[in-house]
């Protein structure tokens, strides 16, 4: 197996890789991949961003036309003083 700078591997007696050490400073894409599969915990910022994206892309959100119609209907129900 070729050596890659910043990575170390350990194998068992059968030659099967059992441990891998990755320098995430040299390979930042590895950190993202390990976070996606759950080996590395997400930062508070990443969790907050995911929650925002879920709310923003919620299919139950109103479209602009639906919001305008709802707002106008609500305004029509209010008692206005002359």
């Amino acid at each position: 197996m070729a050596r890659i700078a910043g990575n170390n591997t350990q194998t068992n007696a059968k030659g099967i890789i059992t441990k891998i050490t990755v320098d995430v400073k040299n390979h930042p894409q590895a950190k993202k991949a390990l976070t996606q599969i759950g080996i590395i915990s997400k930062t508070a910022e990443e969790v907050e961003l995911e929650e925002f994206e879920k709310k923003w892309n919620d299919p139950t959100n109103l479209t602009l036309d639906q919001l305008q119609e709802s707002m106008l209907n609500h305004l029509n129900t209010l008692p206005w003083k002359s």
Side-chain angles (χ1 to χ4, degrees):
M1 178 180 261
R3 299 248 334 133
I4 300 174
N7 295 345
N8 296 317
T9 59
Q10 293 179 2
T11 58
N12 61 11
K14 295 180 182 180
I16 299 172
I17 296 174
T18 56
K19 294 182 183 181
I20 298 175
T21 305
V22 179
D23 183 355
V24 291
K25 185 177 180 182
N26 291 342
H27 305 285
Q29 70 277 14
K31 183 176 181 182
K32 184 177 181 181
L34 293 171
T35 302
Q36 287 176 344
I37 61 175
I39 294 176
I40 298 175
S41 61
K42 296 178 181 177
T43 64
E45 183 179 327
E46 291 170 332
V47 172
E48 186 178 326
L49 181 61
E50 281 184 359
E51 290 175 7
F52 173 78
E53 288 293 330
K54 285 179 186 176
K55 288 179 184 178
W56 180 258
N57 294 319
D58 186 359
T60 61
N61 290 342
L62 297 176
T63 64
L64 290 175
D65 291 335
Q66 292 169 330
L67 176 64
Q68 183 180 16
E69 182 180 344
S70 173
M71 178 188 63
L72 291 174
N73 289 337
H74 177 69
L75 289 174
N76 288 335
T77 63
L78 294 176
W80 297 97
K81 293 183 179 180
S82 299

